[in-house]
Amino acid sequence: MVMSQVFRAVLSTKGRKTGRIHSVMLRAVKYNEKIYFSRHRPDGDWFKNAVANPDVIIEFDNSRYTGKAKVVDDKKLEEKISQLKYPGEKRAEEKRVAIEITLYE
């Protein structure tokens, strides 16, 4: 059985220009043992930073995790993440870009 969960998390990325750590609170989706973050366009700093420096830190449930980010290039998976992130909402149908985080053990 596939389990999914939507929650608030702090995503910390390494700045692609400054090299400094930047943190942002986002709505996250846990699906098939991976964590996903999405947005309308790939122009956000956190998105560009995660692409340039894929080692990220995620904080939620009073815990800190490290992982590796990659851009989701599967349109069906992007649609699924939007549906899970915004259940029953009109914006679930909007086109989005997403990154997938594989947590390190």
Side-chain angles (χ1 to χ4, degrees), residues 5-7 27-31 34-36 81 84-85:
Q5 168 186 8
V6 178
F7 57 98
R27 191 184 305 196
V29 174
K30 185 172 186 181
Y31 177 68
K34 309 243 187 227
I35 296 177
Y36 296 88
I81 297 308
L84 293 170
K85 186 175 177 182

Side-chain angles (χ1 to χ4, degrees), residues 46-101:
W46 66 262
F47 193 94
K48 291 193 249 183
N49 288 346
V51 170
N53 299 303
D55 289 314
V56 299
I57 299 167
I58 301 170
E59 297 173 74
F60 62 95
D61 286 346
N62 297 315
S63 296
R64 183 179 176 108
Y65 305 90
T66 56
K68 179 78 75 182
K70 73 171 195 158
V71 175
V72 174
D73 57 6
D74 178 332
K75 295 297 175 211
K76 291 285 186 209
L77 180 56
E78 280 180 355
E79 290 171 8
K80 180 68 174 176
I81 297 308
S82 287
Q83 291 163 4
L84 293 170
K85 186 175 177 182
Y86 304 111
E89 294 182 42
K90 184 79 175 145
R91 60 184 167 169
E93 300 168 20
E94 296 171 354
K95 180 170 176 8
R96 302 183 80 76
V97 293
I99 60 167
E100 173 184 275
I101 311 294

